[in-house]
Amino acid sequence: MFSGSVTAHELAFVPAQVANRVSVIDLTTMQRLADIPVDGKPAGVAVAQQAGRAYVSSPEGKFVTIIDTASRAVVGRIDVGGGPLGIVVPPSGAPLYVADWYQHRVYAIDPIRRTVTGFVQVGQSPSGLAISRNGRSLLSADRDDDQVSIIDTASFTVRATIKVGTRPFGVTLSADDSRAYTANVGSNDVTVIDVANAKTIATVAVGERPYAVALANGRAFVTNQYAGTVSVFDTGSFAKLATIDVGDYPEGIEASADGRSVQVVNWESNSVQRIDTATLKITASVETADGPRGFGNFIWHQP
């Protein structure tokens, strides 16, 4: 059985939108180490593991802030325009992809030159992004078109669209990239997608206003904003396993590298909570700066 611990030396970089800060949390000790000033109401985050960078999107500021994860300092900014929200980076560390909520585009960005190198038009109001491990497939949850766009990154064109539930927001890929899971805020469910065949294979009812999905220990963990809960279901049978009470307005969620825990970001409670993925119990909590969102991949695995 798994314990409630996390892989040693994991740090969480959690955008706190109200405070205009990024809170840095040591996930081993569950202590808040720093609050990094970031303007523009930061919301989305993507940590590049090998590069040691956390990229934070600011929808109101229309830019992406670059944070050095070792020094915990801002080292640059990339002007994007529009309303950058969802953000993701492949394991290789480049390029960076950013969803523009207002222009209905996904941008490719060179993180070294700090310039936008291209864009692809997707559905209305793209929010969450997910990237395959080989970097060849990029998924966009197009909220106001009730669809997911699958983008071929080599040609930077949309190769398929899949209808999902109402108003998909977060999208998460399985470890083998075969399945995608969308949290549908309008229909209170999760759509499971067969990525290779570009078709839906299941719809799983969850709590009110699901926001994002984390996968660990053969289970899906879904933050339900309005319910103040995390729904848990089996990724094989899709059977419901539990509903866990967490803080107020849970949003971002991510699994530790070893899969033993998931970390839940609670917007109105100003907290990050740890859930043991075996026992499905909350084992620790830590306070953040005001209004944390943590939309994306916010955990850095220290070398």
Side-chain angles (χ1 to χ4, degrees), residues 7-59:
T7 299
H9 308 299
E10 288 188 330
L11 299 181
F13 288 78
V14 180
Q17 193 167 50
V18 176
N20 281 315
R21 295 287 188 272
V22 171
S23 290
V24 183
I25 309 296
D26 184 322
L27 293 179
T28 301
T29 63
M30 289 298 277
Q31 292 183 330
R32 179 171 157 196
L33 303 179
D35 289 314
I36 305 167
V38 174
D39 294 332
K41 303 298 181 184
V45 57
V47 173
Q49 299 296 337
Q50 294 183 356
R53 294 287 187 266
Y55 300 101
V56 179
S57 63
S58 292

Side-chain angles (χ1 to χ4, degrees), residues 186-295:
S187 50
N188 296 333
D189 52 30
V190 169
T191 301
V192 185
I193 297 169
D194 177 335
V195 177
N197 295 303
K199 66 179 184 180
T200 63
I201 57 176
T203 300
V204 184
V206 292
E208 189 175 6
R209 293 298 180 96
Y211 185 89
V213 182
L215 303 171
N217 197 13
R219 297 166 172 182
F221 297 78
V222 187
T223 50
N224 304 310
Q225 293 170 309
Y226 284 14
T229 61
V230 169
S231 294
V232 188
F233 65 87
D234 186 277
T235 56
S237 66
F238 308 122
K240 180 179 177 180
L241 300 177
T243 301
I244 305 168
D245 291 326
V246 292
D248 294 334
Y249 219 77
E251 293 200 343
I253 186 167
E254 188 176 0
S256 61
D258 60 14
R260 296 182 179 184
S261 68
V262 293
Q263 329 308 317
V264 181
V265 180
N266 301 303
W267 161 270
E268 291 188 356
S269 293
N270 296 336
S271 65
V272 173
Q273 291 174 301
R274 176 193 297 158
I275 296 174
D276 184 302
T277 61
T279 66
L280 305 182
K281 303 294 184 182
I282 294 172
T283 60
S285 181
V286 61
E287 185 178 357
T288 67
D290 195 13
R293 300 200 65 181
F295 185 44

Side-chain angles (χ1 to χ4, degrees), residues 61-65 77-82 84 109 114-116:
K62 303 181 180 181
F63 53 74
V64 170
T65 298
R77 194 173 84 178
I78 305 167
D79 292 322
V80 178
I109 295 173
R114 301 177 185 176
T115 58
V116 175

Side-chain angles (χ1 to χ4, degrees), residues 144-158:
D144 290 346
D145 272 336
D146 303 336
Q147 69 178 30
V148 167
S149 295
I150 301 179
I151 300 161
D152 179 275
T153 58
S155 61
F156 214 37
T157 58
V158 175

Side-chain angles (χ1 to χ4, degrees), residues 86-174:
I87 185 168
V88 74
V89 62
S92 65
L96 179 68
Y97 297 102
V98 179
D100 186 336
W101 178 268
Y102 298 120
Q103 302 296 324
H104 319 302
R105 298 171 172 175
V106 175
Y107 296 103
I109 295 173
D110 184 326
I112 303 301
R113 296 182 179 180
R114 301 177 185 176
T115 58
V116 175
T117 58
F119 70 87
V120 58
Q121 210 75 29
V122 291
Q124 297 289 300
S125 303
S127 50
L129 298 177
I131 187 80
S132 62
R133 272 59 178 177
N134 61 15
R136 295 172 185 169
S137 295
L138 174 66
L139 278 65
S140 168
D142 304 333
R143 195 195 72 160
D144 290 346
D145 272 336
D146 303 336
Q147 69 178 30
V148 167
S149 295
I150 301 179
I151 300 161
D152 179 275
T153 58
S155 61
F156 214 37
T157 58
V158 175
R159 70 172 177 84
T161 58
I162 305 104
K163 282 296 180 182
V164 295
T166 306
R167 296 194 171 185
F169 204 76
V171 58
T172 302
L173 277 165
S174 61

